[in-house]
């Protein structure tokens, strides 16, 4: 063991500290998203949590009023439109649901729902109608 100031540091502790430092350096290096994209991701996560808790109006409000989501990458925008579509469908606003699916399909013509999502009695048909309208 060697003494550094008031701390006793052995080889094991040095390796642990080095590992933690490398981990933080790696995390910092991986965080290449722009501030706008990070804000969009946080907004999408908050909207997903609102949807999961049954607060569909809040999910819609968060996504509809977010400049960060509008300026985010395509994947995030598509996910936001999908979540808004689901939220509109479960609140009985099927035409708005279909419109959100159309926006998602315009951004990504290969966008699709999972088989389970396609089987939903409200948003499954709304998605298929949107797909037909956009020719996707």
């Amino acid at each position: 063991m060697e003494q550094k100031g008031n701390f006793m540091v052995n080889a094991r502790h040095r390796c642990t500290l080095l590992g933690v430092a490398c981990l933080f350096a790696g995390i910092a290096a991986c965080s290449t998203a722009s501030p706008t994209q990070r804000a969009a991701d946080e907004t999408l996560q908050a909207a997903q949590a609102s949807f999961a808790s049954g607060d569909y109006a809040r999910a819609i409000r968060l996504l509809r009023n977010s400049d960060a989501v509008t300026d985010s990458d395509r994947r995030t925008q598509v996910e936001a439109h999908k979540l808004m579509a689901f939220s509109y469908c479960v609140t009985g606003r099927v035409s708005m649901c279909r419109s959100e699916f159309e926006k998602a399909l315009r951004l990504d013509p290969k966008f699709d729902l999972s088989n389970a999502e396609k089987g939903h009695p409200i948003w499954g048909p709304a998605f298929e109608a949107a797909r037909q309208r956009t020719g996707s």
Side-chain angles (χ1 to χ4, degrees), residues 1-3 7-17:
M1 264 195 218
E2 99 184 53
Q3 185 165 354
F7 299 101
M8 296 295 285
V9 180
N10 64 27
R12 185 170 142 211
H13 286 122
R14 268 184 267 159
C15 287
T16 301
L17 292 172

Side-chain angles (χ1 to χ4, degrees), residues 36-72:
T36 300
Q37 184 61 47
R38 284 194 301 272
D41 291 340
E42 290 170 7
T43 301
L44 183 57
Q45 288 173 0
Q48 289 167 333
S50 294
F51 182 89
S53 69
D55 193 349
Y56 310 117
R58 183 172 186 270
I60 293 166
R61 195 170 47 253
L62 283 168
L63 295 170
R64 186 180 53 209
N65 296 331
S66 174
D67 290 336
V69 170
T70 301
D71 297 336
S72 67

Side-chain angles (χ1 to χ4, degrees), residues 12-30:
R12 185 170 142 211
H13 286 122
R14 268 184 267 159
C15 287
T16 301
L17 292 172
L18 180 62
V20 170
C22 288
L23 175 66
F24 284 124
I27 290 170
C30 291

Side-chain angles (χ1 to χ4, degrees), residues 49-98:
S50 294
F51 182 89
S53 69
D55 193 349
Y56 310 117
R58 183 172 186 270
I60 293 166
R61 195 170 47 253
L62 283 168
L63 295 170
R64 186 180 53 209
N65 296 331
S66 174
D67 290 336
V69 170
T70 301
D71 297 336
S72 67
D73 65 21
R74 187 176 69 171
R75 177 196 56 81
T76 303
Q77 290 180 50
V78 168
E79 284 300 312
H81 287 298
K82 176 183 174 181
L83 186 57
M84 282 196 291
F86 286 179
S87 298
Y88 282 130
C89 274
V90 298
T91 57
R93 295 178 277 178
V94 179
S95 65
M96 294 176 86
C97 170
R98 187 174 44 252

